[in-house]
Amino acid sequence: MTETLFTKIIDREIPADIVYEDDQCLAFRDINPKAPMHILVIPKKVIPKLVDAEKDDEALLGHLMLIAGKIAADEGYGDAFRTVINNGEAVGQSVFHLHIHILGGRDFMWPPG
Ligand code: 5GP
């Protein structure tokens, strides 16, 4: 498995405010939050970008989405939250370990910038 910043969080080598964990994924608060709720959901399996996911990852990707919704609801934002996946440096991806941003608690523009 390739080591990333996020595998270090999974392995507890770097501290994080973890809000959810199971055998497939981990969720923790973003260190530089862009909204009152800003949580990242990551698979424990290293998939650098969404486009790198394969057919075998289909159930895992679905699991991440279900967990994102559950976390948003648990945080009190079940009716108003946004999920974002940045795929590629050009659109803002800075950590190359797939992650779903879950954001809530403020107004959001549409379309996103
Ligand atoms: P990206 O820009 O790749 O879509 O999102 C990466 C996110 O990871 C950013 O929102 C950034 O603030 C967050 N991040 C980067 N380093 C750390 C860290 O060490 N701990 C936590 N909790 N979040 C981090």
Side-chain angles (χ1 to χ4, degrees), residues 12-110:
R12 302 327 199 248
E13 291 170 22
I14 293 176
D17 185 355
I18 294 168
V19 299
Y20 178 86
E21 181 170 25
D22 63 27
D23 59 328
Q24 298 179 74
C25 70
L26 186 74
F28 51 89
R29 295 188 195 282
D30 196 291
I31 202 166
N32 183 19
K34 302 294 191 292
M37 174 186 68
H38 188 173
I39 291 169
L40 305 173
V41 185
I42 67 171
K44 290 187 171 175
K45 175 182 177 182
V46 177
I47 300 171
K49 304 195 298 293
L50 180 61
V51 74
D52 298 316
E54 298 175 344
K55 183 73 180 163
D56 282 355
D57 300 315
E58 193 169 334
L60 174 60
L61 296 180
H63 181 68
L64 297 176
M65 294 302 287
L66 287 175
I67 293 301
K70 174 182 162 28
I71 290 170
D74 288 350
E75 292 276 322
Y77 297 105
D79 289 330
F81 67 95
R82 179 168 289 179
T83 56
V84 173
I85 298 174
N86 292 321
N87 184 98
E89 202 170 351
V91 299
Q93 187 174 5
S94 59
V95 179
F96 288 84
H97 182 135
L98 174 65
H99 48 283
I100 303 174
H101 296 259
I102 318 169
L103 300 134
R106 65 166 171 82
D107 292 336
F108 291 92
M109 306 285 287
W110 191 261

